[in-house]
Amino acid sequence: MVGLLFLMGVVSTAVAMEPDHDVINPDTESNDSKPSLAISSDGAGWVSWHAYLKPSCDRVLARELRPGGLGPVHQVSGEGTVHGAPVTVAVGSGGAWVFWSALVDDRWRLMGRQVEDGRRRLSVVLSGDDSDALMPAAVALSGNRLLVTWSARTEGRFRMWSRVLGEDGWKNPVAVSRDRCDAFRPAVAAERDGAVWIFWDCYEDGDYSVRGRRLLPEPGAEEQISPRGHNCLIPKALATDQGVAVAWVQSSDVINAGGAIGQIHTLHMALRHEGGWRVVRDAEG
């Protein structure tokens, strides 16, 4: 089986093991992949991953990364026959939340579970009964709060939603994207001043484009980030000292000298300044 290795703060999948690596999943009986790592303010952390056993039988596992060694392996998932890749977010001192999608009664539910001090709390269902919830992303906020966002399919349309965990529990779900186009693959970034941005790729009129909006502290308007007329998708976001940065993959159709039709994929990025979004370009444009 494939081992999950922890090296220099990054979790990766590898077959060969070398000295100084910590094996996260020794003696595993499953095919383990899609790890998600979160480090808390005190240097401890949690890693969660997807463990495939057989068709319609998998699970989400998690393990604490302590300064003095590894904690026990926890099965985070409970309900559901099939589970999606997890997302881990560190909160507080040594604690974390793990989010994933689970197929329960022919409906994909967004699940969440808090793990701390080597224990698991009860899992919670965060999505509604009338939708299929997929592709979660999450970010830690100040004061042990956090935000989780996901793509939900209702009546044939995918739309972006989010929920905030506050001091008094989970707030009501909030629609992030408009219902005029399908929204997939969210990314989220939190700035130091408390502003939180959510990004996604939107499919409309045969093309994908990256869009986003500020959600906290006050909701802003939905903004076009990638250039129109191109297939731009799979956004990743990061809050930096130079502003919020969003990167995405652009897919372009090409025909080679032999007449074969294919695609070329390039990486692009935009930074937000006071005047709006600016695409970062090299000397050749």
Side-chain angles (χ1 to χ4, degrees):
M1 300 301 176
V2 175
L4 295 178
L5 307 180
F6 179 66
L7 175 64
M8 297 178 62
V10 177
V11 175
S12 63
T13 59
V15 176
M17 293 180 293
E18 301 176 6
D20 302 328
H21 288 171
D22 288 327
V23 181
I24 303 299
N25 59 337
D27 303 320
T28 180
E29 298 179 353
S30 55
N31 286 311
D32 297 347
S33 62
K34 304 179 179 70
S36 175
L37 173 69
I39 302 297
S40 60
S41 57
D42 61 358
W46 284 85
V47 59
S48 64
W49 66 92
H50 181 269
Y52 177 84
L53 294 168
K54 58 184 179 180
S56 298
C57 184
D58 56 20
R59 54 192 175 178
V60 173
L61 305 177
R63 193 170 197 183
E64 187 176 8
L65 309 176
R66 300 169 179 169
L70 300 173
V73 176
H74 296 281
Q75 180 171 331
V76 180
S77 59
E79 293 183 89
T81 57
V82 183
H83 304 86
V87 173
T88 310
V89 179
V91 290
S93 177
W97 272 86
V98 181
F99 302 98
W100 69 96
S101 294
L103 187 59
V104 182
D105 298 330
D106 297 323
R107 179 74 78 182
W108 285 98
R109 315 282 186 183
L110 178 64
M111 311 293 295
R113 194 165 199 172
Q114 188 176 12
V115 288
E116 61 179 350
D117 298 327
R119 299 174 298 165
R120 303 170 301 166
R121 298 197 177 186
L122 293 176
S123 60
V124 295
V125 181
L126 298 172
S127 56
D129 295 334
D130 60 344
S131 64
D132 286 297
L134 301 163
M135 313 172 195
V139 67
L141 308 177
S142 61
N144 293 335
R145 301 178 304 133
L146 62 83
L147 178 144
V148 59
T149 181
W150 67 94
S151 178
R153 181 180 183 271
T154 305
E155 297 181 351
R157 176 72 75 188
F158 285 89
R159 193 177 184 185
M160 208 58 56
W161 291 80
S162 72
R163 292 188 77 168
V164 171
L165 175 63
E167 296 180 356
D168 54 350
W170 287 99
K171 308 294 184 182
N172 292 329
V174 174
V176 178
S177 63
R178 295 174 289 180
D179 59 0
R180 54 184 285 183
C181 65
D182 288 319
F184 306 100
R185 291 171 285 269
V188 60
E191 298 186 87
R192 293 179 180 178
D193 61 1
V196 177
W197 289 81
I198 297 179
F199 308 93
W200 62 92
D201 54 46
C202 172
Y203 185 73
E204 186 177 25
D205 298 331
D207 289 325
Y208 283 95
S209 63
V210 175
R211 298 182 183 177
R213 65 181 297 197
R214 186 184 70 244
L215 196 64
L216 296 176
E218 298 294 335
E222 183 174 313
E223 300 180 9
Q224 179 76 29
I225 299 171
S226 64
R228 297 183 183 272
H230 301 275
N231 269 315
C232 302
L233 63 163
I234 317 176
K236 302 296 180 182
L238 184 68
T240 75
D241 292 338
Q242 289 76 41
V244 177
V246 182
W248 64 86
V249 173
Q250 180 173 305
S251 176
S252 303
D253 295 332
V254 294
I255 302 178
N256 65 18
I261 299 176
Q263 288 186 330
I264 185 172
H265 300 93
T266 52
L267 182 64
H268 301 254
M269 189 180 77
L271 283 170
R272 181 172 176 81
H273 299 277
E274 293 183 359
W277 293 98
R278 177 177 59 85
V279 176
V280 178
R281 304 183 185 277
D282 60 15
E284 299 178 354

